[in-house]
């Protein structure tokens, strides 16, 4: 009994935080440059999306806002590096594609959607951690696929190419072009 009380006390003591200070804001120029880069990158992705949507393709998914945040506002973060962005997206969406076979009524269809919505990010996070390719926006892309809010499941495995690989590639290229225009930025930190 004493062990349980001690464990609970230690557990709830952690809730107080580690008494670290929250991060400071960045200077105005860095913030404005980050916003401009995200604007240019997402405008290009959005333009391609509008051009291709006529043909029934999707190029813009919600997680790209988070990808743009990492590439332009946190260019030195490991999460923003090209290999991590691309690799983690491929991992997360592949997890969504595989789990989708367990949900679809045309396949085995035995897994409830609410379980699949939790399972895809969980598996994706585990694989990303194991491989060193952790990128939070990528996990969101896997969830977007399994939830199918935009009707993206109709593309099946093509979703890995279109929009995932090409969309990430566009944002990475704009990140390379735009971030390196500034004297205070170097992107990428590694390939």
């Amino acid at each position: 009994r004493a062990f349980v009380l001690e464990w609970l006390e230690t557990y709830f003591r952690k809730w107080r935080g580690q008494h670290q200070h929250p991060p400071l804001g960045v200077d105005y120029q860095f913030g404005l440059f980050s916003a401009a880069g995200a604007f240019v990158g997402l405008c290009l992705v959005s333009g391609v999306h509008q051009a291709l949507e006529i043909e029934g393709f999707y190029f813009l998914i919600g997680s790209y806002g988070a990808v743009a945040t990492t590439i332009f506002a946190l260019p030195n973060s490991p999460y923003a590096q090209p290999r991590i962005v691309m690799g983690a997206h491929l991992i997360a969406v592949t997890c969504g594609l595989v789990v989708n076979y367990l949900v679809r009524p045309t396949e085995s269809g035995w897994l409830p959607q609410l379980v699949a919505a939790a399972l895809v990010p969980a598996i994706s996070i585990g694989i990303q951690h194991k491989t060193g390719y952790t990128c939070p926006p990528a996990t969101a892309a896997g969830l977007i696929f399994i939830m199918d809010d935009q009707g993206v499941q109709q593309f099946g495995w093509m979703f890995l190419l279109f929009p995932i690989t090409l969309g990430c590639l566009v944002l990475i290229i704009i990140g390379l072009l735009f971030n390196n225009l500034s004297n205070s930025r170097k992107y990428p930190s590694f390939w």
Side-chain angles (χ1 to χ4, degrees):
R1 180 176 174 187
F3 171 76
V4 172
L5 290 175
E6 185 179 321
W7 183 86
L8 285 171
E9 182 182 339
T10 302
Y11 175 75
F12 286 114
R13 193 177 308 125
K14 292 177 185 179
W15 287 24
R16 292 188 220 160
Q18 298 176 21
H19 306 293
Q20 295 179 1
H21 297 285
L24 299 173
V26 296
D27 65 66
Y28 181 72
Q29 182 182 4
F30 190 92
L32 190 58
F33 203 84
S34 297
F39 177 78
V40 170
L42 290 171
C43 268
L44 185 57
V45 171
S46 182
V48 172
H49 174 79
Q50 283 189 334
L52 296 176
E53 194 174 25
I54 298 167
E55 304 296 326
F57 290 105
Y58 289 92
F59 200 72
L60 181 64
I61 59 172
S63 62
Y64 286 164
V67 173
T69 301
T70 60
I71 290 175
F72 297 103
L74 305 165
N76 296 324
S77 166
Y79 307 129
Q81 304 314 306
R83 176 189 330 171
I84 303 300
V85 170
M86 193 67 73
H89 274 81
L90 294 176
I91 290 168
V93 174
T94 299
C95 289
L97 284 155
V98 170
V99 170
N100 191 44
Y101 286 107
L102 305 175
V103 177
R104 291 190 309 190
T106 56
E107 305 297 331
S108 59
W110 59 270
L111 188 68
Q113 181 67 36
L114 70 100
V115 174
L119 189 59
V120 168
I123 293 171
S124 173
I125 290 167
I127 294 172
Q128 287 177 35
H129 271 300
K130 180 64 178 165
T131 60
Y133 286 79
T134 302
C135 182
T139 304
L143 184 59
I144 287 168
F145 182 83
I146 199 67
M147 293 305 297
D148 198 31
D149 290 338
Q150 294 179 296
V152 296
Q153 287 180 1
Q154 68 180 324
F155 303 116
W157 288 91
M158 281 299 294
F159 189 71
L160 277 174
L161 175 63
F162 221 62
I164 296 301
T165 301
L166 294 176
C168 287
L169 193 59
V170 167
L171 288 171
I172 289 167
I173 290 169
I174 298 300
L176 286 166
L177 296 171
F178 203 85
N179 279 327
N180 291 313
L181 289 174
S182 169
N183 290 334
S184 64
R185 294 174 183 241
K186 291 180 184 174
Y187 180 79
S189 297
F190 59 87
W191 282 96

